[in-house]
Amino acid sequence: MSAKPKPAAKAAPQTDWKRVVDLVQTSRAMDAIEERELVPGKKIFYQFSARGHDMAQVLLGLHLTHPKDAMCGYYRSRPILLSLGVALEDALGSAMGRAGGYSDGRDIGVVFNYPNANGASALPMCGGVGAQYTPTAGYAQAIEYAKNVLGDRSFDGAIGVVLGGDASVATNGFWSALTMATTLKLPMLFYIEDNGYGISTPGWLQTPGQNIAKNLASFSGLKICDGDGADPAEASELIADAVAHVRGGNGPALVHLAVPRLQGHSFQDTQAYKSKDIVDAEWARDPLPKLKAHVVPSLISEKDWDAAQAKAEENVRRAVQIADQRPVSEPSQVTRFVFSEDGVLQDEGGILNAGYSAPRVSAEPKPEGARINMITAIRRVLDNELAVNPRVLVFGEDVGPKGGVHGVTLGLQEKYGVERVFDTSLSEEGIIGRAVGMAIAGLMPVPEIQFRKYADPACEQINDCGTMRWRTANRFAAPMVVRMPVGFFKCGDPWHSQTNEVQFVHSPGWRVACPSNAEDAVGLLRTALRGNDPVMFLEHRNMLDAASARRPYPGDDFALPFGVAKRVREGGDITIVTWGAMVERCEAAAETAGVSADILDLRTLAPWDSEAVLASVKRTHRCLIVHEDIGTAGFGAEIAAVVADRAFLDLDAPVARMTMPDIPSPHHPDLMEWALPSVERIAAKIQELVRF
C-alpha cells in the first residue's frame, strides 16, 4: 500500500513592500522617541533598540498568517510583534510599565506576549537567553498532536517560529529544541539573527567559525537558509523559502541572517568595546537605506517614502501620548494571578480554554478491592485520565516501553500509543520546556523528571512556567503536572535521594503535592490533572511500594482539594506536622513515645493548611515539625515561623523541628539512617517537648 501523499504546499505570499516600509519606519520611530525622550525622561527603564534587526523581522512576521501560528521572541523582537498587529500604545505603554499592555506593569516592557484572537500569537517570552526555544518546540509538537491525534484540521499548515540572537545558540535550550524538532520532524522555524555580539562578547567566543548555519549544514532533517538580513531581496527570498518548507510538512528549518546591531545591547551600553571602524562598518550595512533603494522608485516614489516616514513618526508620537495617559496599575492588585482565580480564565493556555469539561468528582472515597501500592494507584489515575481526556500526554525519559524507572507508567504506551505516552531525549530543559508550549496550545502535559536532582537543568523553565500567569497579568498560563520521584529508598545518595521541596514552594505559581499514601496520591493527582495551574507532584520513592502507604483504590471520581491537611492520628498532648515518608515514622514515634499526639499530614505544601496547624496547636500547646529535607531554610522553618507568629501565646514549649542535617543524603544505608529523622529520635523529641 503506497503512502498517502502530502498536501501540496501553498505558494508563499508575495511580499507587501509597502507594508514592510510602514512597519520598519514605525519601529525606527519608536526606537528614536524612546532614546531621545522617554529614557532620558525616566519614563522607560529598560530599552533595547531593534535598529538593524527590524527589516528582516518584519519580513518574517508578514508570513505568519495562519490563525494557529505562534512565535516566541526575545528582547529585540518588537518589529515582528508590530507585524502581528500589536497596538503601538500597548507596546509603548508596556515599555513605560503602565496599566494594560503585555503585563500591567509587572514585567519589563521588552518581555513580550500577545494572545492574538485574530491571527498568530506571540508566546510569552522569558527574560533568560535561550529560554524561548523549547516552549516553541512544544507548541510545534502540539500542532502535530492536534492534527494527527485530535483530528483538528484547523491546525493544518500551522507552524511555530522562534527568534534568537546568535549568542543564544550556545544555550542548552537551543540544542534541546533542535534535537526535538529534527528527530520529530516538527513544523518549527528557527530564526537566528546574527549581529556578531552577545552584549560585548564577540561571535567567535559564542560559535565556532562564527556561523551556526555552516556548523549545522550536515544536521540531519534540518533545512538551512543562510544569508544577509540587511539585503531586502535576499532576506525576503530566504525567509519565504524557509516558511514554505515548514508549512509544507517537510520538517524544521533554520534561517541564519547576518544583521548589524546599530545601537548598544541596551540604551545604557556605550559599545566602548567596538572600534570606530567596526561601528562605521555596521552603519554601512543599515537595512533602512537598502530597503529604500529596493522600493524607490521601482515600487513607491521618494515622496511616498517620506510620507510613510512622517506618518510613522506622527502615529508613534500619538501613541506615546495615549500610553503616557495610562495610569500605573493599582499596587494592591499586584498579588493577583499568581494562581488561577475562579471565574477569570486566562486568554490562552490550558485545557479549560480548549473547551475541556471535566467529569464530576467527589471528595468521598469509594474503596474498590484490595489495598494497592502508590505505583499502582498513580498508574490507575494516569490510565483513567488518558481515557477520559484526549488532551492528556505522558512523557519523559524511559516512560514508554520500560514504563519508567519506577514502573509507574508500565503498559500505558502500549494502551494509548506513542503519540500520547512517549520517551524524550535526555534533556530536562527540553522536557519541561516542551510541556510549556504544549500547555499553551491547550493540552495537559504530564512530564516526568526521573529524580529530584535531575530537575536542576530544568529550573529556568520551571520558574518561567510558574510566573507566566502573573507576569502576563492572566493573559497566558501553562497548566501541567510534573511528576517527580523524591527522597530516600533502600539507600541514599546526593543524586537520586534529594527532596528539597522548598525550592518549588519558593517558585511562585506552582502548586506542590507530596502524598504519603495511595489514596491521597489518587485524589491529589486527579485534581492536578483537571486543574488550571502547574503542579509539582512529588512521589516519595520509599512510599511507592511501602506496605503502610497501601490503600484500596478510592474510585475514578475521587479528587482531593489542595491545601487541606489530613489528621492521621488524633491527640491532645502535642501537634506533629509532617508529610511524605515522615508520616509513617511520626506515627510509629508517637506510639513508641506513648504520647497522645495530633499528627497532621499536610499532603500539599503549596498551598499548605496553616489553619489546621494553628487550630491543632491551640489545643495541644506544643508543635513539632518533622521533614526529610535539610533543616536550614527547609519548609519546616516556614511552618515554625507561622506558628510562632500566630500562636505564640498558646505555646507551652518552643516550636521544634527535626530534619536532616545540612548535608546531602549519604549513600550507605547506615549513614543514611543516621542522617534521617528516625523513629527513636522523633519519639525522644516528642517526650522532651511534652515534659517541657
Side-chain angles (χ1 to χ4, degrees), residues 589-610:
E591 192 71 33
T592 299
V595 167
S596 176
D598 209 40
I599 302 178
L600 296 178
D601 176 359
L602 288 183
R603 302 196 288 195
T604 65
L605 301 185
W608 68 282
D609 194 348
S610 59

Side-chain angles (χ1 to χ4, degrees), residues 565 567 570-577 598-600 602 608-623 639 642-644 646-648 650-651:
R567 177 170 282 103
E570 189 168 357
D573 293 337
I574 187 172
T575 297
I576 302 175
V577 186
D598 209 40
I599 302 178
L600 296 178
L602 288 183
W608 68 282
D609 194 348
S610 59
E611 296 306 318
V613 172
L614 292 168
S616 177
V617 171
K618 286 178 186 297
R619 288 191 300 102
T620 68
H621 310 295
R622 292 170 175 82
C623 183
I639 300 170
V642 170
V643 171
R646 296 178 58 188
F648 180 77
D650 297 301
L651 292 169

Side-chain angles (χ1 to χ4, degrees), residues 297-382:
S298 59
L299 298 175
I300 64 174
S301 66
E302 181 90 27
K303 182 178 179 181
D304 291 336
W305 176 273
D306 292 341
Q309 180 178 344
K311 184 179 180 182
E313 291 172 353
E314 178 187 351
N315 289 343
V316 167
R317 185 159 294 280
R318 186 182 306 114
V320 168
Q321 293 172 347
I322 295 171
D324 199 21
Q325 291 172 1
R326 292 180 174 179
V328 175
S329 61
E330 171 56 46
S332 65
Q333 298 297 300
V334 79
T335 55
R336 291 191 64 189
F337 302 126
V338 175
F339 297 105
S340 59
E341 298 181 8
D342 290 342
V344 190
L345 192 63
Q346 62 272 10
D347 293 334
E348 286 193 23
I351 54 176
L352 300 183
N353 253 327
Y356 178 71
S357 180
R360 295 181 64 180
V361 297
S362 170
E364 293 299 322
K366 298 177 182 177
E368 301 175 7
R371 290 158 59 92
I372 58 174
N373 63 15
M374 281 182 64
I375 293 174
T376 306
I378 294 168
R379 185 190 303 130
R380 284 192 65 171
V381 177
L382 294 174

Side-chain angles (χ1 to χ4, degrees), residues 42-323:
K42 295 182 169 36
K43 292 185 176 180
I44 288 179
F45 311 109
Y46 288 91
Q47 197 270 347
F48 293 79
S49 171
R51 283 191 193 87
H53 291 237
D54 38 22
M55 183 194 68
Q57 271 190 37
V58 166
L59 288 169
L60 173 61
L62 293 181
H63 281 276
L64 302 184
T65 55
H66 194 293
K68 298 295 186 181
D69 283 347
M71 56 76 56
C72 195
Y74 68 118
Y75 44 78
R76 222 175 296 284
S77 298
R78 186 165 65 187
I80 196 171
L81 268 290
L82 299 179
S83 73
L84 297 184
V86 170
L88 301 187
E89 55 268 28
D90 282 348
L92 289 160
S94 297
M96 297 164 75
R98 304 300 178 85
Y102 307 132
S103 73
D104 224 20
R106 298 170 179 218
D107 203 349
I108 302 172
V110 295
V111 179
F112 307 106
N113 68 83
Y114 183 45
N116 188 4
N118 300 312
S121 292
L123 306 182
M125 66 162 283
C126 306
V129 175
Q132 68 270 33
Y133 289 107
T134 54
T136 309
Y139 187 92
Q141 188 172 353
I143 290 173
E144 293 297 283
Y145 186 86
K147 293 188 303 184
N148 301 329
V149 180
L150 299 179
D152 189 344
R153 305 311 342 155
S154 69
F155 281 85
D156 286 353
I159 63 174
V161 177
V162 64
L163 286 72
D166 183 62
S168 71
V169 305
T171 64
N172 293 342
F174 173 79
W175 290 100
S176 179
L178 193 64
T179 298
M180 283 189 274
T182 51
T183 56
L184 300 177
K185 299 181 180 178
L186 299 179
M188 181 173 177
L189 175 62
F190 294 80
Y191 178 85
I192 307 301
E193 301 171 285
D194 186 354
N195 61 35
Y197 285 86
I199 306 185
S200 66
T201 306
W204 63 269
L205 277 171
Q206 306 280 0
T207 306
Q210 302 185 64
N211 187 324
I212 191 64
K214 290 183 179 179
N215 293 348
L216 294 174
S218 62
F219 211 86
S220 180
L222 181 69
K223 178 180 176 64
I224 301 289
C225 298
D226 184 17
D228 186 357
D231 183 298
E234 183 175 345
S236 177
E237 182 179 349
L238 289 172
I239 290 169
D241 186 25
V243 171
H245 173 87
V246 180
R247 283 211 197 282
N250 304 298
L254 181 142
V255 177
H256 171 262
L257 296 179
V259 295
R261 193 188 77 195
L262 301 180
Q263 302 298 140
H265 168 71
S266 64
F267 182 82
Q268 290 77 17
D269 179 13
T270 63
Q271 300 198 96
Y273 46 85
K274 290 183 180 179
S275 69
K276 183 178 183 301
D277 289 344
I278 290 175
V279 172
D280 290 345
E282 288 180 325
W283 275 101
R285 295 184 57 235
D286 183 358
L288 188 62
K290 296 177 185 291
L291 175 61
K292 182 177 180 180
H294 185 72
V295 300
V296 177
S298 59
L299 298 175
I300 64 174
S301 66
E302 181 90 27
K303 182 178 179 181
D304 291 336
W305 176 273
D306 292 341
Q309 180 178 344
K311 184 179 180 182
E313 291 172 353
E314 178 187 351
N315 289 343
V316 167
R317 185 159 294 280
R318 186 182 306 114
V320 168
Q321 293 172 347
I322 295 171

Side-chain angles (χ1 to χ4, degrees), residues 430-498:
I431 290 171
I432 302 301
R434 89 166 75 193
V436 170
M438 289 176 170
I440 293 174
L443 304 179
M444 173 50 78
V446 189
E448 178 186 293
I449 302 296
Q450 281 187 350
F451 298 94
R452 166 62 191 87
K453 181 67 176 66
Y454 295 1
D456 288 355
C459 280
E460 181 174 43
Q461 292 296 337
I462 289 170
N463 289 328
D464 292 346
C465 176
T467 61
M468 183 183 295
R469 184 189 300 278
W470 180 87
R471 60 188 165 86
T472 67
N474 206 42
R475 284 155 65 109
F476 282 90
M480 67 177 71
V481 180
V482 179
R483 294 180 41 253
M484 189 184 305
V486 300
F488 70 93
F489 186 36
K490 296 177 181 178
C491 59
D493 68 74
W495 319 111
H496 302 88
S497 304
Q498 188 181 77

Side-chain angles (χ1 to χ4, degrees), residues 380-401:
R380 284 192 65 171
V381 177
L382 294 174
D383 189 351
N384 181 72
E385 295 303 306
L386 283 161
V388 301
N389 185 358
R391 295 183 175 275
V392 172
L393 299 87
V394 176
F395 54 91
E397 297 159 17
D398 304 304
V399 305

Side-chain angles (χ1 to χ4, degrees), residues 9-38:
K10 294 180 180 178
Q14 293 294 315
T15 300
D16 183 349
W17 288 105
K18 176 67 166 60
R19 181 73 174 143
V20 173
V21 170
D22 290 343
L23 289 168
V24 174
Q25 293 281 23
T26 298
S27 180
R28 292 288 173 115
M30 294 174 79
D31 283 338
I33 202 167
E34 287 176 339
E35 292 164 348
R36 295 171 188 168
E37 299 179 23
L38 300 180

